[in-house]
């Protein structure tokens, strides 16, 4: 069979897309039933549905971050860059999208300090800067969700079509609809638990590919064989802009350009995507920063190892009878990884890649669905249509908005597919239209001097400048020809990305320094504040109106992290205790130092000396490069697969005891919250 024919039957595509979607919907129903019976959390509560009662521990949040940040592009685009630029591609993809999550730890700490009860980042913008700013930044927020969702659907449908021949239009609609079912059923907490299962399977399949390529495959099977095959490929078709035309060097001009585009574009998609704010909101205040630092460091291993394995294998196997011949359009669609998986392991490789990709797409899609649902519910429906909405109305609208955006995702994927825009094009383009709002949003949450009109001007002028720079550069480099192909060039996209984030940032900072505000964040701290609670920055004692259980709980020892917080009331009391301004300021300081140091290491200290050295790696260099990646991947798997189980052992034990009680004495296992006093651990 030729490598260009689908490896799997069309039924396998429908089986995975529909079957796994239905499996996770059933899994969600079981989780929701267990949650309602054996804990005090119910997804029928809007706070639990949208923000998991703000009580999730750091391991599960880190796992959710890894899962939400693992898009179709994480697996497909990273491998396409490795296929195009060699070993520099995986580094620039991984580091260029890790630093934003690390730096977001600072925003997460400020969120807990300055707006601990907000549901969305747009509520903070509205409380600080009013309706005009709210509407302008909502455009950027929803544009981010639209672009990210379109990339997920395009990448997922292109791969399902390449591996199984499944109809692309059917894939565009069936992927988000399957996910919508389980999001509506379970809400935020169940989504995080599904994210956890996705992450576990993802690491397992990555390890299968890594060991196949570097240890057991009869086509490659060792570091030396991979090195020799890459060297042959370099001699047959030298890589333009790489030292000696080699795939085995960090000295890659196109790799570096992609790195800059990647850093800018991903700042936009982290800082402006409600999905990341949602995980910060769902996190316990005391461990929020830890979760983002852990999640960011763990995530790096996924694109780095996946693309160093399958992206380089696609180069090494060029000319192999089982290997698909890849056109530039195939590379932009992200097909080097599926082609390599099918060539290495035949049908089982194609099936494994199909499953891992589908899980990546569904977990990121679930994050986008619940994020957009929160924005449309709290920032459109509640703010502009029904400010006095009841709990039941909010929950009903949340469910409806999940379904509405699932259908919208299918339509968006379809539109981009028909006008010929691929996932790779959108990936490089996102910074052009979204980059200008990054600095204004970060300043709004963290800097008291940020000027409202300066920040609005920065976002709008930066947006216009980015689009103009992108189109003017395209026109001047391509003799006035503007098309999907010419506008997608690296230099063209680089110009738009740099202009957008640069102008947006400069205008915001300069105007704020000339005309500084002096905002005390009291208005943002008041967002959704419970009636009994005073300002958390106020040193005076808490209101005496708290019930006895809460008062008693406050006298508990400070270190209560082993205690299972398994009811909405207990979670609210725990959160209130952890909203200590001194501790949160310390968290911000830790986040700032750790994230800035790690950013310098990943973007400057490691890659730039290797870039300027012009070294082409021998067998030993390639072996060290891959082995370090393997060790990193193992540590990541421990952090986001095993650690969440360990930190939740008390709650898991309590739920298990409830189930056992129900088995042996029917009806006796149901969770009953103790009213008068806090149970001992």
């Amino acid at each position: 069979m030729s490598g260009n024919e689908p490896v799997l039957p069309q039924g396998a595509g429908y089986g995975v897309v529909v079957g796994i979607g239905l499996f996770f919907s059933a899994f969600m129903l079981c989780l929701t039933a267990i949650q309602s019976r054996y804990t005090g959390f119910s997804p029928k509560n809007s706070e639990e549905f949208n923000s998991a009662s703000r009580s999730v521990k750091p391991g599960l949040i880190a796992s959710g971050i890894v899962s939400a940040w693992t898009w179709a592009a994480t697996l497909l685009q990273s491998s396409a860059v490795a296929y195009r630029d060699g070993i520099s591609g995986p580094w620039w993809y991984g580091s260029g999208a890790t630093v934003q999550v690390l730096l977001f730890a600072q925003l997460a700490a400020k969120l807990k300090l300055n707006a601990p009860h907000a549901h969305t980042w747009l509520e903070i913008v509205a409380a600080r800067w009013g309706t005009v700013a709210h509407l302008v930044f909502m455009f950027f927020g929803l544009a981010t969700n639209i672009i990210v969702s379109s990339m997920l659907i395009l990448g997922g449908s292109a791969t399902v079509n390449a591996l199984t021949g499944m109809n692309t239009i059917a894939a565009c609609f069936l992927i988000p609809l399957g996910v919508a079912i389980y999001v509506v059923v379970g809400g935020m907490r169940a989504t995080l638990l599904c994210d956890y299962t996705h992450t576990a399977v993802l690491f397992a399949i990555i390890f299968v590919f890594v060991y196949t390529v570097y240890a057991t495959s009869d086509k490659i099977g060792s570091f030396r064989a991979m090195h020799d095959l890459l060297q042959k490929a370099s001699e047959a078709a030298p890589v333009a802009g790489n030292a000696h035309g080699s795939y085995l060097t960090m000295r890659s001009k196109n790799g570096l350009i992609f790195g800059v585009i990647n850093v800018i574009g991903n700042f936009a998609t982290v800082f402006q995507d409600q999905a990341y704010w949602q995980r910060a909101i769902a996190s316990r205040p005391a461990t929020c920063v830890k979760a983002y630092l852990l999640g960011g460091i763990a995530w790096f291993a996924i694109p780095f190892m996946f693309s160093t394995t399958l992206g380089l294998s696609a180069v090494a196997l060029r000319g192999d009878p089982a290997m698909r011949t890849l056109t530039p359009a195939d590379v932009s669609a992200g097909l080097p990884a599926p082609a390599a998986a099918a060539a290495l392991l035949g049908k089982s490789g194609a099936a494994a890649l199909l499953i891992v990709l589908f899980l990546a797409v569904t977990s990121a899609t679930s994050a986008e669905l619940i994020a957009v649902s929160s924005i449309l519910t709290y920032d459109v429906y509640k703010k502009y249509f029904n400010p006095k909405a009841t709990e039941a109305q909010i929950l009903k609208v949340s469910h409806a908005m999940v379904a509405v955006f699932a259908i919208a995702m299918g339509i968006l994927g379809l539109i981009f597919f028909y006008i010929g825009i691929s996932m790779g094009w959108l990936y490089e383009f996102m910074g052009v239209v979204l980059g200008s709002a990054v600095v204004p949003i970060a300043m709004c949450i963290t800097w008291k001097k940020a000027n409202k009109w300066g920040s609005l001007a920065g976002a709008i002028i930066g947006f216009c400048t980015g689009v103009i720079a992108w189109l003017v550069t395209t026109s001047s480099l391509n003799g006035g020809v503007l098309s999907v192909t010419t506008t997608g060039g690296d230099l063209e996209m680089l110009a738009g990305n740099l202009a957008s984030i640069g102008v947006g940032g400069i205008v915001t900072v300069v105007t704020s320094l000339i005309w500084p505000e002096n905002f005390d964040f009291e208005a943002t701290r008041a967002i959704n504040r419970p009636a009994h609670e005073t300002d958390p920055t106020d040193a005076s004692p808490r209101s005496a109106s708290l019930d006895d259980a809460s008062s008693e709980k406050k006298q508990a020892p400070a270190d209560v992290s082993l205690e299972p917080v398994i009811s909405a009331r207990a979670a609210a009391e725990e959160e209130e205790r952890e909203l200590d301004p001194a501790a949160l300021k310390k968290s911000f300081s830790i986040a700032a130092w750790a994230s800035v140091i790690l950013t310098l290491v990943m973007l400057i200290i490691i890659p730039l000396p290797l870039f300027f050295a012009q070294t082409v790696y021998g067998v030993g260099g390639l072996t060290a490069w891959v082995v370090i990646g393997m060790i990193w991947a193992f540590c990541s798997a421990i952090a986001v697969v095993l650690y969440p189980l360990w930190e939740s052992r008390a709650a898991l034990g309590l739920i298990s005891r409830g189930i056992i009680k129900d088995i042996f004495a029917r009806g006796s296992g149901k969770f009953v919250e103790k009213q008068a006093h806090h149970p001992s651990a």
Side-chain angles (χ1 to χ4, degrees), residues 634-660:
F634 268 112
C635 293
S636 297
I638 290 166
V640 295
V641 178
L642 299 181
Y643 175 56
L645 292 176
W646 170 255
E647 70 178 3
S648 297
R649 63 196 181 281
L652 289 170
L654 205 142
I655 290 166
S656 304
R657 286 196 294 277
I659 292 170
I660 291 164

Side-chain angles (χ1 to χ4, degrees), residues 154-203:
L154 285 169
S157 58
T159 304
V160 173
N161 174 265
L163 290 175
T164 70
M166 179 182 175
N167 185 290
T168 305
I169 300 167
C172 280
F173 283 98
L174 288 172
I175 291 170
L177 288 176
V179 183
I181 295 168
Y182 83 66
V183 172
V184 166
V185 168
M188 187 67 191
R189 189 180 303 273
T191 299
L192 285 168
L193 292 169
C194 267
D195 283 354
Y196 169 80
T197 57
H198 293 166
T199 304
V201 174
L202 180 67
F203 272 108

Side-chain angles (χ1 to χ4, degrees), residues 69-97 202 206 258 262 266 299-315 331-338 353 357 423-424 427-428:
W69 204 209
T70 304
W71 303 347
T74 306
L75 307 176
L76 302 179
Q77 182 69 9
S78 63
S79 298
V81 180
Y83 179 82
R84 195 186 69 187
D85 300 328
I87 64 165
S88 69
W91 179 272
W92 285 118
Y93 189 100
S95 62
L202 180 67
I206 287 174
F258 172 78
N262 197 33
N266 284 309
W299 180 85
F300 173 85
I302 292 174
F304 182 76
M305 272 324 293
F306 191 88
S307 55
T308 299
T309 302
L310 290 181
L312 296 182
S313 295
V315 176
V331 176
S332 184
L335 297 183
L353 193 110
L357 183 95
M423 179 195 68
Y427 189 85
E428 295 200 357

Side-chain angles (χ1 to χ4, degrees), residues 56-356:
V56 186
K57 291 186 176 176
L60 190 57
I61 290 286
S63 182
I65 291 163
V66 167
S67 193
W69 204 209
T70 304
W71 303 347
T74 306
L75 307 176
L76 302 179
Q77 182 69 9
S78 63
S79 298
V81 180
Y83 179 82
R84 195 186 69 187
D85 300 328
I87 64 165
S88 69
W91 179 272
W92 285 118
Y93 189 100
S95 62
T98 295
V99 298
Q100 296 82 354
V101 178
L102 298 173
L103 292 166
F104 191 87
Q106 296 181 47
L107 293 189
K110 283 290 188 183
L111 170 82
K112 292 297 185 189
L113 182 65
N114 292 336
H117 302 296
H119 295 111
T120 68
W121 63 273
L122 285 163
E123 284 185 337
I124 304 170
V125 173
R128 178 167 183 178
W129 286 337
T131 303
V132 174
H134 183 247
L135 292 171
V136 168
F137 286 111
M138 193 190 296
F139 162 79
F140 285 102
L142 291 175
T144 303
N145 294 119
I146 285 168
I147 289 176
V148 171
S149 302
S150 302
M151 275 193 287
L152 291 171
I153 301 302
L154 285 169
S157 58
T159 304
V160 173
N161 174 265
L163 290 175
T164 70
M166 179 182 175
N167 185 290
T168 305
I169 300 167
C172 280
F173 283 98
L174 288 172
I175 291 170
L177 288 176
V179 183
I181 295 168
Y182 83 66
V183 172
V184 166
V185 168
M188 187 67 191
R189 189 180 303 273
T191 299
L192 285 168
L193 292 169
C194 267
D195 283 354
Y196 169 80
T197 57
H198 293 166
T199 304
V201 174
L202 180 67
F203 272 108
I205 292 178
I206 287 174
F207 289 137
V208 167
F209 283 127
V210 169
Y211 285 114
T212 300
V213 168
Y214 292 108
T216 63
S217 167
D218 55 354
K219 293 178 188 289
I220 303 174
S222 71
F223 297 111
R224 180 171 290 282
M226 175 64 94
H227 180 272
D228 294 346
L229 286 165
L230 290 175
Q231 221 167 10
K232 266 189 213 156
S234 304
E235 288 160 12
V239 186
N242 281 24
H244 309 294
S246 174
Y247 285 96
L248 295 158
T249 179
M250 279 294 285
R251 174 63 181 231
S252 169
K253 188 184 81 175
N254 288 333
L256 183 64
I257 290 170
F258 172 78
V260 176
I261 294 171
N262 197 33
V263 170
I264 296 169
N266 284 309
F267 263 117
T269 49
V270 172
F271 283 36
Q272 288 163 224
D273 190 341
Q274 171 63 16
Y276 301 96
W277 292 94
Q278 202 113 13
R279 278 152 178 71
I281 288 162
S283 179
R284 283 171 60 166
T287 53
C288 189
V289 165
K290 178 182 174 184
Y292 275 82
L293 294 176
L294 193 64
I297 294 167
W299 180 85
F300 173 85
I302 292 174
F304 182 76
M305 272 324 293
F306 191 88
S307 55
T308 299
T309 302
L310 290 181
L312 296 182
S313 295
V315 176
L317 295 174
R318 267 188 209 148
D320 187 284
M323 180 69 189
R324 177 190 178 107
T325 306
L326 294 165
T327 64
D330 289 338
V331 176
S332 184
L335 297 183
L344 286 162
L345 288 168
K347 288 192 174 182
S348 57
L353 193 110
L354 187 59
I355 289 167
V356 79

